[in-house]
Amino acid sequence: MRRYERLVAAVVLASLVGGALLAERAGPRQRAELSPGEARSTTWICPHGGGGGWTGTIAVANPGPRPVQARISGLGPSGDVRPQAFSVAGGTQVLRPMDASDRGSASVVEVFGGGPGGAWQISAGGQDRGLGVEPCTPSGGTQWYATGMPTTEGERSFLIVTNPFGSTAIVDVTLVSPDAPPVRDPGLTDVSVAPGRSVALSVSDVLPGKASTAAVVQTSTGRIAVGALVVTDGGGVRSTVAGTSLAPTWVLPAGGGAGRSTLSVGVLEDQVVRFSAVLRSDNDPQPAGGLVEVRQVPLSAATYPVIIAAASSVDVLAGSPVVVALSAEGQGIDDAATSGVMSPAPSWLVVPTTLEEPWFPGLVVANPSEEDVVVALRLIPEEGEGTLKTTTLTVGAGQVAAVPAGFLAQAPRASVLVQASGPVVALGASTSTGRLGVAFYALAVGLPVPAWALPA
Amino acid sequence: LAAGTGDWAVGPGRVPAAWAVVDSTATGRFRVLWIVDDDGASFPAPGGDPDGLVEAGDASLRFALTDRSGVLAVDIGRPLVGPGADALRASLAEIVSGTTTHGGALLAPFGIRYVVADESRLAGSARVALDAQTDLDLVPSSGLLIWRSGSALPLAGVAATTPAEDRLVISTRRGDIQRLPALATAPLRRVPGGWDGTSEGGSRVLMSTEFDGAWQVVGDTRQPERAFGWATSFRTEASDVSIRYGAQLPRTIAVWLLAGFWAAALWITRKPVRR
């Protein structure tokens, strides 16, 4: 081999070895982190139920500064209604009538370009009277939990099972009660819910005569969303959304009622649960209903009476995960219920809980933390209602405060954006309709608002 | 070799049984999006090798796009490039970023009916993001994660669109494209040189083919429009629709010329055999 050929070979070999050593030392290129996408959208499922002569309204509120696009679809046992698409200007809400003429009626709200979402109001008609308000749920799931469903005489309880997705869901329901083994009725097993359908499953028909029931609703295939609807003969509608998780701690604010309430606790796992309940108001916290280290047996549902103040919160602290609900007696014929929240947050969007005049809009803010919080409140009215005043209030550590009535009276059917300096829970609690404005009573916990959806 | 002879078989190291069941029940022509962690390995059969990358830190994904048959021998050495590939990468990035719940609508312009992943080779965050999509439904399967899109468009078809939906079709913003509802679309049939079919009352032709002004609707002089920023679309009132590519002859001549140059080069550089 000539000298230059040996030199070239040596240079090539040295380059290969050197390059390999450098590459090994440098390691693989670090992948860049993903930036937040430009295509923001959320989907809210509203398993509100209904009945013959009932009417429904979906509230879509936009707390952000820019307009968003929304699309609402109605679902029922026989299929969906053609979607309605519309815009929601920044800082406003839209109240859209929706079909609630069937016991299994439901709706789906899709929001594009912003957040957070929607909530439902259902007003009973025909032989039924009452108002149910609840925020829609942002997710479908394969397992849901609900409680607060009595089946004693005069009380009819239903599970509203909604499938807005593209594949059939096969649903199984297990019911528990205070004094009997869990029930898996053939009529609530392998229930097929077709895509775009929503059905009502009667709990009262399967487990009659119970002061309370709790349910595990799960799918062997497909996804669903679940709500609980209780209709009382002679007047009264309670409407709540089920949850996808059990939890050991719950916050259940309340207000605006007659003072008597019932805490429902569902133990849906095969273990004894000990729990306590704390009543918070504008005074020092105290045991709620005397509930201290209460023992509840596995796979059971039970109810506990609790007297609540005008603005209060019942905090449940359990040794193991449970599902809860709080139903409160109204000052008129109607009752109200909430399934509470697992954890506080700094920002909430509370939808209107009034129906029609005369009305007494109410909103309570619960502060379960150990420090005072300052809360800023802004009304989110329908477009064209003009500029409305904002306000702030301070909620003491461990206390609950009611928002001043005069602030809410500016727009009684407006949503309210609640922004706090610390984690809180906000809930709408209003009465409306009837001669004295107390015939209908509704409770609805707010929708947590992520930071990116807030106005600058 | 198996791809070239069309001889995939179910079993260990071959086509997973889950995919075989899905493939046998699905009708029509569609595309499949294969996704996997950025681990350097191939997809389960018949996905082949990854073509693209979505950078998302530790949750980075590699992806490939095939038709329902999976990767073919002719796909070897053919990279996924161009504005369509860029749009697909951006749409997949939107989905895994977790900010949208309408991933099926974002993937619809590509004719994607299924998204497939190996259950053991997909980052948890990507799995969560895909499960959260309203219009992607998990198909019951074992070993594979298979999501079916409820918004899938055919590879070519005629859709009955409203004016609002037309504005979404011609938009380039993914924030608009995600609002695309499940369109009632009459699929067109693939024929040599293009597509044929009936409009069934629709008036918006959609083709998941990169925009090229040479596409034409036979009997209509209107120029194609760019759809979704990269694809091809037409307005038509015809009940019978035929779409042909008008610049095939120059391409055919160019390919034959290239083949001739290669043959000449090989002949010129040949080495005589030593005897």
mmCIF file of all heavy atoms in Angstrom, chain B residues 45-92:
data_model
loop_
_atom_site.group_PDB
_atom_site.id
_atom_site.type_symbol
_atom_site.label_atom_id
_atom_site.label_comp_id
_atom_site.label_asym_id
_atom_site.label_seq_id
_atom_site.Cartn_x
_atom_site.Cartn_y
_atom_site.Cartn_z
ATOM 1 N N ALA B 45 -46.761 -6.090 14.139
ATOM 2 C CA ALA B 45 -47.196 -6.360 12.776
ATOM 3 C C ALA B 45 -48.674 -6.033 12.641
ATOM 4 O O ALA B 45 -49.453 -6.252 13.560
ATOM 5 C CB ALA B 45 -46.947 -7.832 12.455
ATOM 6 N N PRO B 46 -49.092 -5.494 11.493
ATOM 7 C CA PRO B 46 -48.304 -5.145 10.309
ATOM 8 C C PRO B 46 -47.951 -3.668 10.224
ATOM 9 O O PRO B 46 -48.004 -3.067 9.162
ATOM 10 C CB PRO B 46 -49.273 -5.513 9.181
ATOM 11 C CG PRO B 46 -50.619 -5.125 9.737
ATOM 12 C CD PRO B 46 -50.556 -5.373 11.215
ATOM 13 N N GLY B 47 -47.599 -3.048 11.354
ATOM 14 C CA GLY B 47 -47.348 -1.614 11.357
ATOM 15 C C GLY B 47 -46.037 -1.193 10.722
ATOM 16 O O GLY B 47 -45.907 -0.081 10.228
ATOM 17 N N GLY B 48 -45.037 -2.090 10.712
ATOM 18 C CA GLY B 48 -43.767 -1.718 10.110
ATOM 19 C C GLY B 48 -42.929 -0.852 11.033
ATOM 20 O O GLY B 48 -43.002 -0.970 12.257
ATOM 21 N N ASP B 49 -42.129 0.038 10.429
ATOM 22 C CA ASP B 49 -41.230 0.900 11.186
ATOM 23 C C ASP B 49 -41.813 2.309 11.300
ATOM 24 O O ASP B 49 -42.565 2.752 10.435
ATOM 25 C CB ASP B 49 -39.859 0.990 10.486
ATOM 26 C CG ASP B 49 -39.106 -0.316 10.542
ATOM 27 O OD1 ASP B 49 -39.221 -1.004 11.572
ATOM 28 O OD2 ASP B 49 -38.421 -0.650 9.558
ATOM 29 N N PRO B 50 -41.436 3.022 12.367
ATOM 30 C CA PRO B 50 -41.949 4.393 12.510
ATOM 31 C C PRO B 50 -41.459 5.295 11.387
ATOM 32 O O PRO B 50 -40.358 5.132 10.866
ATOM 33 C CB PRO B 50 -41.377 4.843 13.860
ATOM 34 C CG PRO B 50 -41.040 3.589 14.579
ATOM 35 C CD PRO B 50 -40.644 2.601 13.528
ATOM 36 N N ASP B 51 -42.302 6.286 11.059
ATOM 37 C CA ASP B 51 -41.986 7.250 10.011
ATOM 38 C C ASP B 51 -41.751 8.636 10.551
ATOM 39 O O ASP B 51 -41.109 9.458 9.907
ATOM 40 C CB ASP B 51 -43.145 7.349 9.017
ATOM 41 C CG ASP B 51 -43.017 6.348 7.902
ATOM 42 O OD1 ASP B 51 -41.873 6.046 7.522
ATOM 43 O OD2 ASP B 51 -44.055 5.877 7.421
ATOM 44 N N GLY B 52 -42.325 8.947 11.692
ATOM 45 C CA GLY B 52 -42.259 10.313 12.191
ATOM 46 C C GLY B 52 -42.139 10.336 13.691
ATOM 47 O O GLY B 52 -42.274 9.311 14.369
ATOM 48 N N LEU B 53 -41.893 11.512 14.216
ATOM 49 C CA LEU B 53 -41.649 11.686 15.641
ATOM 50 C C LEU B 53 -42.432 12.880 16.147
ATOM 51 O O LEU B 53 -42.431 13.941 15.509
ATOM 52 C CB LEU B 53 -40.154 11.908 15.891
ATOM 53 C CG LEU B 53 -39.721 12.326 17.304
ATOM 54 C CD1 LEU B 53 -39.919 11.177 18.279
ATOM 55 C CD2 LEU B 53 -38.275 12.805 17.298
ATOM 56 N N VAL B 54 -43.106 12.724 17.282
ATOM 57 C CA VAL B 54 -43.718 13.838 18.005
ATOM 58 C C VAL B 54 -42.900 14.024 19.270
ATOM 59 O O VAL B 54 -42.848 13.130 20.117
ATOM 60 C CB VAL B 54 -45.191 13.543 18.356
ATOM 61 C CG1 VAL B 54 -45.744 14.631 19.277
ATOM 62 C CG2 VAL B 54 -46.029 13.444 17.105
ATOM 63 N N GLU B 55 -42.226 15.158 19.360
ATOM 64 C CA GLU B 55 -41.364 15.390 20.508
ATOM 65 C C GLU B 55 -42.210 15.869 21.688
ATOM 66 O O GLU B 55 -42.901 16.879 21.603
ATOM 67 C CB GLU B 55 -40.289 16.426 20.164
ATOM 68 C CG GLU B 55 -39.315 15.918 19.117
ATOM 69 C CD GLU B 55 -38.006 16.697 19.118
ATOM 70 O OE1 GLU B 55 -37.471 16.968 20.197
ATOM 71 O OE2 GLU B 55 -37.532 17.038 18.025
ATOM 72 N N ALA B 56 -42.128 15.131 22.776
ATOM 73 C CA ALA B 56 -42.875 15.487 23.986
ATOM 74 C C ALA B 56 -42.066 15.065 25.202
ATOM 75 O O ALA B 56 -42.585 14.410 26.116
ATOM 76 C CB ALA B 56 -44.245 14.797 23.990
ATOM 77 N N GLY B 57 -40.769 15.422 25.199
ATOM 78 C CA GLY B 57 -39.915 15.071 26.319
ATOM 79 C C GLY B 57 -39.863 13.565 26.500
ATOM 80 O O GLY B 57 -39.664 12.806 25.552
ATOM 81 N N ASP B 58 -40.066 13.119 27.748
ATOM 82 C CA ASP B 58 -40.016 11.691 28.033
ATOM 83 C C ASP B 58 -41.210 10.948 27.439
ATOM 84 O O ASP B 58 -41.202 9.719 27.375
ATOM 85 C CB ASP B 58 -39.980 11.461 29.546
ATOM 86 C CG ASP B 58 -38.661 11.910 30.146
ATOM 87 O OD1 ASP B 58 -37.673 12.017 29.378
ATOM 88 O OD2 ASP B 58 -38.608 12.186 31.358
ATOM 89 N N ALA B 59 -42.233 11.661 27.042
ATOM 90 C CA ALA B 59 -43.425 11.034 26.451
ATOM 91 C C ALA B 59 -43.422 11.144 24.937
ATOM 92 O O ALA B 59 -44.477 11.048 24.314
ATOM 93 C CB ALA B 59 -44.686 11.676 27.021
ATOM 94 N N SER B 60 -42.251 11.317 24.332
ATOM 95 C CA SER B 60 -42.173 11.430 22.876
ATOM 96 C C SER B 60 -42.730 10.177 22.218
ATOM 97 O O SER B 60 -42.594 9.062 22.735
ATOM 98 C CB SER B 60 -40.720 11.640 22.444
ATOM 99 O OG SER B 60 -40.248 12.883 22.911
ATOM 100 N N LEU B 61 -43.373 10.374 21.089
ATOM 101 C CA LEU B 61 -44.006 9.279 20.348
ATOM 102 C C LEU B 61 -43.425 9.187 18.957
ATOM 103 O O LEU B 61 -43.144 10.208 18.331
ATOM 104 C CB LEU B 61 -45.505 9.529 20.202
ATOM 105 C CG LEU B 61 -46.407 9.382 21.404
ATOM 106 C CD1 LEU B 61 -47.842 9.656 20.982
ATOM 107 C CD2 LEU B 61 -46.295 8.000 22.002
ATOM 108 N N ARG B 62 -43.311 7.973 18.450
ATOM 109 C CA ARG B 62 -43.043 7.755 17.027
ATOM 110 C C ARG B 62 -44.330 7.228 16.400
ATOM 111 O O ARG B 62 -45.117 6.541 17.056
ATOM 112 C CB ARG B 62 -41.898 6.770 16.842
ATOM 113 C CG ARG B 62 -40.553 7.366 17.266
ATOM 114 C CD ARG B 62 -39.392 6.733 16.537
ATOM 115 N NE ARG B 62 -38.157 7.443 16.809
ATOM 116 C CZ ARG B 62 -37.654 8.374 16.008
ATOM 117 N NH1 ARG B 62 -38.272 8.707 14.897
ATOM 118 N NH2 ARG B 62 -36.523 8.966 16.317
ATOM 119 N N PHE B 63 -44.506 7.561 15.139
ATOM 120 C CA PHE B 63 -45.766 7.164 14.510
ATOM 121 C C PHE B 63 -45.520 6.757 13.068
ATOM 122 O O PHE B 63 -44.463 7.045 12.477
ATOM 123 C CB PHE B 63 -46.790 8.310 14.552
ATOM 124 C CG PHE B 63 -46.399 9.526 13.762
ATOM 125 C CD1 PHE B 63 -46.777 9.671 12.426
ATOM 126 C CD2 PHE B 63 -45.650 10.539 14.342
ATOM 127 C CE1 PHE B 63 -46.420 10.788 11.697
ATOM 128 C CE2 PHE B 63 -45.294 11.669 13.623
ATOM 129 C CZ PHE B 63 -45.675 11.795 12.294
ATOM 130 N N ALA B 64 -46.481 6.062 12.509
ATOM 131 C CA ALA B 64 -46.470 5.697 11.090
ATOM 132 C C ALA B 64 -47.908 5.652 10.613
ATOM 133 O O ALA B 64 -48.838 5.456 11.407
ATOM 134 C CB ALA B 64 -45.794 4.348 10.865
ATOM 135 N N LEU B 65 -48.080 5.839 9.319
ATOM 136 C CA LEU B 65 -49.409 5.838 8.709
ATOM 137 C C LEU B 65 -49.438 4.788 7.618
ATOM 138 O O LEU B 65 -48.606 4.806 6.707
ATOM 139 C CB LEU B 65 -49.704 7.221 8.108
ATOM 140 C CG LEU B 65 -51.142 7.505 7.685
ATOM 141 C CD1 LEU B 65 -52.052 7.532 8.892
ATOM 142 C CD2 LEU B 65 -51.214 8.834 6.946
ATOM 143 N N THR B 66 -50.361 3.847 7.728
ATOM 144 C CA THR B 66 -50.485 2.808 6.706
ATOM 145 C C THR B 66 -51.940 2.707 6.297
ATOM 146 O O THR B 66 -52.820 3.270 6.937
ATOM 147 C CB THR B 66 -50.029 1.436 7.226
ATOM 148 O OG1 THR B 66 -50.984 0.967 8.200
ATOM 149 C CG2 THR B 66 -48.655 1.507 7.877
ATOM 150 N N ASP B 67 -52.179 1.945 5.222
ATOM 151 C CA ASP B 67 -53.574 1.641 4.930
ATOM 152 C C ASP B 67 -53.972 0.410 5.740
ATOM 153 O O ASP B 67 -53.210 -0.057 6.588
ATOM 154 C CB ASP B 67 -53.813 1.488 3.429
ATOM 155 C CG ASP B 67 -53.131 0.251 2.843
ATOM 156 O OD1 ASP B 67 -52.608 -0.576 3.615
ATOM 157 O OD2 ASP B 67 -53.111 0.133 1.610
ATOM 158 N N ARG B 68 -55.143 -0.140 5.474
ATOM 159 C CA ARG B 68 -55.633 -1.210 6.322
ATOM 160 C C ARG B 68 -54.798 -2.490 6.190
ATOM 161 O O ARG B 68 -54.874 -3.371 7.052
ATOM 162 C CB ARG B 68 -57.092 -1.513 6.003
ATOM 163 C CG ARG B 68 -57.349 -2.046 4.609
ATOM 164 C CD ARG B 68 -58.827 -2.295 4.380
ATOM 165 N NE ARG B 68 -59.319 -3.319 5.294
ATOM 166 C CZ ARG B 68 -60.614 -3.539 5.515
ATOM 167 N NH1 ARG B 68 -61.519 -2.774 4.912
ATOM 168 N NH2 ARG B 68 -61.000 -4.482 6.335
ATOM 169 N N SER B 69 -54.000 -2.595 5.120
ATOM 170 C CA SER B 69 -53.184 -3.795 4.947
ATOM 171 C C SER B 69 -51.899 -3.736 5.751
ATOM 172 O O SER B 69 -51.192 -4.739 5.862
ATOM 173 C CB SER B 69 -52.827 -3.965 3.465
ATOM 174 O OG SER B 69 -53.984 -3.896 2.672
ATOM 175 N N GLY B 70 -51.574 -2.575 6.276
ATOM 176 C CA GLY B 70 -50.303 -2.441 6.957
ATOM 177 C C GLY B 70 -49.202 -2.017 6.000
ATOM 178 O O GLY B 70 -49.458 -1.625 4.858
ATOM 179 N N VAL B 71 -47.961 -2.110 6.471
ATOM 180 C CA VAL B 71 -46.840 -1.655 5.663
ATOM 181 C C VAL B 71 -46.622 -2.637 4.512
ATOM 182 O O VAL B 71 -46.822 -3.845 4.647
ATOM 183 C CB VAL B 71 -45.577 -1.531 6.538
ATOM 184 C CG1 VAL B 71 -45.095 -2.888 7.000
ATOM 185 C CG2 VAL B 71 -44.488 -0.774 5.811
ATOM 186 N N LEU B 72 -46.249 -2.101 3.351
ATOM 187 C CA LEU B 72 -45.999 -2.912 2.166
ATOM 188 C C LEU B 72 -44.527 -2.814 1.785
ATOM 189 O O LEU B 72 -43.825 -1.903 2.218
ATOM 190 C CB LEU B 72 -46.860 -2.430 0.993
ATOM 191 C CG LEU B 72 -48.366 -2.429 1.228
ATOM 192 C CD1 LEU B 72 -49.084 -1.816 0.029
ATOM 193 C CD2 LEU B 72 -48.871 -3.850 1.477
ATOM 194 N N ALA B 73 -44.068 -3.726 0.936
ATOM 195 C CA ALA B 73 -42.675 -3.712 0.505
ATOM 196 C C ALA B 73 -42.330 -2.405 -0.197
ATOM 197 O O ALA B 73 -41.234 -1.866 -0.062
ATOM 198 C CB ALA B 73 -42.400 -4.905 -0.401
ATOM 199 N N VAL B 74 -43.284 -1.850 -0.963
ATOM 200 C CA VAL B 74 -42.986 -0.610 -1.680
ATOM 201 C C VAL B 74 -42.835 0.575 -0.734
ATOM 202 O O VAL B 74 -42.374 1.642 -1.132
ATOM 203 C CB VAL B 74 -44.085 -0.289 -2.718
ATOM 204 C CG1 VAL B 74 -44.096 -1.316 -3.814
ATOM 205 C CG2 VAL B 74 -45.430 -0.139 -2.064
ATOM 206 N N ASP B 75 -43.255 0.427 0.549
ATOM 207 C CA ASP B 75 -43.116 1.513 1.508
ATOM 208 C C ASP B 75 -41.687 1.617 2.032
ATOM 209 O O ASP B 75 -41.324 2.626 2.648
ATOM 210 C CB ASP B 75 -44.074 1.297 2.687
ATOM 211 C CG ASP B 75 -45.529 1.467 2.281
ATOM 212 O OD1 ASP B 75 -45.791 2.309 1.393
ATOM 213 O OD2 ASP B 75 -46.398 0.757 2.827
ATOM 214 N N ILE B 76 -40.868 0.563 1.810
ATOM 215 C CA ILE B 76 -39.505 0.590 2.323
ATOM 216 C C ILE B 76 -38.735 1.702 1.622
ATOM 217 O O ILE B 76 -38.703 1.770 0.388
ATOM 218 C CB ILE B 76 -38.809 -0.768 2.103
ATOM 219 C CG1 ILE B 76 -39.542 -1.853 2.899
ATOM 220 C CG2 ILE B 76 -37.338 -0.701 2.526
ATOM 221 C CD1 ILE B 76 -39.059 -3.242 2.605
ATOM 222 N N GLY B 77 -38.115 2.575 2.391
ATOM 223 C CA GLY B 77 -37.354 3.666 1.800
ATOM 224 C C GLY B 77 -38.202 4.842 1.377
ATOM 225 O O GLY B 77 -37.669 5.828 0.841
ATOM 226 N N ARG B 78 -39.523 4.771 1.541
ATOM 227 C CA ARG B 78 -40.379 5.918 1.186
ATOM 228 C C ARG B 78 -40.715 6.678 2.462
ATOM 229 O O ARG B 78 -41.556 6.240 3.236
ATOM 230 C CB ARG B 78 -41.675 5.449 0.527
ATOM 231 C CG ARG B 78 -41.521 5.030 -0.901
ATOM 232 C CD ARG B 78 -42.832 5.100 -1.662
ATOM 233 N NE ARG B 78 -43.925 4.429 -0.982
ATOM 234 C CZ ARG B 78 -45.209 4.575 -1.333
ATOM 235 N NH1 ARG B 78 -45.532 5.378 -2.317
ATOM 236 N NH2 ARG B 78 -46.152 3.930 -0.686
ATOM 237 N N PRO B 79 -40.070 7.824 2.688
ATOM 238 C CA PRO B 79 -40.341 8.540 3.945
ATOM 239 C C PRO B 79 -41.689 9.258 3.886
ATOM 240 O O PRO B 79 -42.203 9.561 2.810
ATOM 241 C CB PRO B 79 -39.180 9.541 4.012
ATOM 242 C CG PRO B 79 -38.820 9.786 2.587
ATOM 243 C CD PRO B 79 -39.066 8.510 1.861
ATOM 244 N N LEU B 80 -42.232 9.515 5.067
ATOM 245 C CA LEU B 80 -43.482 10.260 5.191
ATOM 246 C C LEU B 80 -43.111 11.732 5.309
ATOM 247 O O LEU B 80 -42.726 12.197 6.381
ATOM 248 C CB LEU B 80 -44.242 9.786 6.429
ATOM 249 C CG LEU B 80 -45.666 10.309 6.625
ATOM 250 C CD1 LEU B 80 -46.576 9.811 5.515
ATOM 251 C CD2 LEU B 80 -46.196 9.867 7.986
ATOM 252 N N VAL B 81 -43.173 12.458 4.204
ATOM 253 C CA VAL B 81 -42.767 13.855 4.206
ATOM 254 C C VAL B 81 -43.819 14.671 3.469
ATOM 255 O O VAL B 81 -44.660 14.127 2.758
ATOM 256 C CB VAL B 81 -41.389 14.058 3.532
ATOM 257 C CG1 VAL B 81 -40.296 13.374 4.329
ATOM 258 C CG2 VAL B 81 -41.403 13.551 2.098
ATOM 259 N N GLY B 82 -43.716 15.989 3.644
ATOM 260 C CA GLY B 82 -44.624 16.885 2.935
ATOM 261 C C GLY B 82 -45.561 17.589 3.893
ATOM 262 O O GLY B 82 -45.569 17.323 5.102
ATOM 263 N N PRO B 83 -46.381 18.487 3.371
ATOM 264 C CA PRO B 83 -47.304 19.234 4.235
ATOM 265 C C PRO B 83 -48.314 18.336 4.934
ATOM 266 O O PRO B 83 -48.726 18.627 6.059
ATOM 267 C CB PRO B 83 -47.993 20.212 3.276
ATOM 268 C CG PRO B 83 -47.620 19.806 1.915
ATOM 269 C CD PRO B 83 -46.428 18.968 1.968
ATOM 270 N N GLY B 84 -48.704 17.247 4.289
ATOM 271 C CA GLY B 84 -49.635 16.331 4.957
ATOM 272 C C GLY B 84 -48.999 15.675 6.168
ATOM 273 O O GLY B 84 -49.612 15.552 7.230
ATOM 274 N N ALA B 85 -47.747 15.254 6.018
ATOM 275 C CA ALA B 85 -47.035 14.633 7.135
ATOM 276 C C ALA B 85 -46.842 15.637 8.266
ATOM 277 O O ALA B 85 -46.976 15.305 9.445
ATOM 278 C CB ALA B 85 -45.689 14.099 6.660
ATOM 279 N N ASP B 86 -46.519 16.864 7.907
ATOM 280 C CA ASP B 86 -46.354 17.897 8.940
ATOM 281 C C ASP B 86 -47.668 18.139 9.672
ATOM 282 O O ASP B 86 -47.694 18.310 10.897
ATOM 283 C CB ASP B 86 -45.869 19.201 8.299
ATOM 284 C CG ASP B 86 -44.480 19.085 7.706
ATOM 285 O OD1 ASP B 86 -43.738 18.160 8.118
ATOM 286 O OD2 ASP B 86 -44.142 19.891 6.815
ATOM 287 N N ALA B 87 -48.759 18.156 8.921
ATOM 288 C CA ALA B 87 -50.069 18.370 9.554
ATOM 289 C C ALA B 87 -50.430 17.200 10.463
ATOM 290 O O ALA B 87 -51.012 17.387 11.537
ATOM 291 C CB ALA B 87 -51.140 18.559 8.477
ATOM 292 N N LEU B 88 -50.096 15.995 10.039
ATOM 293 C CA LEU B 88 -50.381 14.826 10.875
ATOM 294 C C LEU B 88 -49.578 14.892 12.173
ATOM 295 O O LEU B 88 -50.098 14.634 13.259
ATOM 296 C CB LEU B 88 -50.058 13.550 10.106
ATOM 297 C CG LEU B 88 -50.215 12.249 10.887
ATOM 298 C CD1 LEU B 88 -51.643 12.061 11.363
ATOM 299 C CD2 LEU B 88 -49.792 11.048 10.022
ATOM 300 N N ARG B 89 -48.303 15.250 12.059
ATOM 301 C CA ARG B 89 -47.463 15.362 13.262
ATOM 302 C C ARG B 89 -48.042 16.410 14.207
ATOM 303 O O ARG B 89 -48.135 16.190 15.416
ATOM 304 C CB ARG B 89 -46.042 15.735 12.866
ATOM 305 C CG ARG B 89 -45.068 15.847 14.043
ATOM 306 C CD ARG B 89 -43.662 16.206 13.581
ATOM 307 N NE ARG B 89 -43.133 15.196 12.675
ATOM 308 C CZ ARG B 89 -43.012 15.359 11.370
ATOM 309 N NH1 ARG B 89 -43.364 16.497 10.795
ATOM 310 N NH2 ARG B 89 -42.522 14.382 10.625
ATOM 311 N N ALA B 90 -48.467 17.550 13.659
ATOM 312 C CA ALA B 90 -49.018 18.613 14.498
ATOM 313 C C ALA B 90 -50.334 18.180 15.143
ATOM 314 O O ALA B 90 -50.596 18.489 16.309
ATOM 315 C CB ALA B 90 -49.234 19.875 13.664
ATOM 316 N N SER B 91 -51.159 17.447 14.410
ATOM 317 C CA SER B 91 -52.440 16.996 14.969
ATOM 318 C C SER B 91 -52.207 15.993 16.086
ATOM 319 O O SER B 91 -52.872 16.038 17.127
ATOM 320 C CB SER B 91 -53.301 16.368 13.873
ATOM 321 O OG SER B 91 -53.637 17.325 12.883
ATOM 322 N N LEU B 92 -51.268 15.078 15.890
ATOM 323 C CA LEU B 92 -50.972 14.103 16.939
ATOM 324 C C LEU B 92 -50.394 14.810 18.164
ATOM 325 O O LEU B 92 -50.694 14.446 19.310
ATOM 326 C CB LEU B 92 -50.008 13.048 16.402
ATOM 327 C CG LEU B 92 -49.707 11.850 17.309
ATOM 328 C CD1 LEU B 92 -51.000 11.172 17.763
ATOM 329 C CD2 LEU B 92 -48.807 10.853 16.592
#
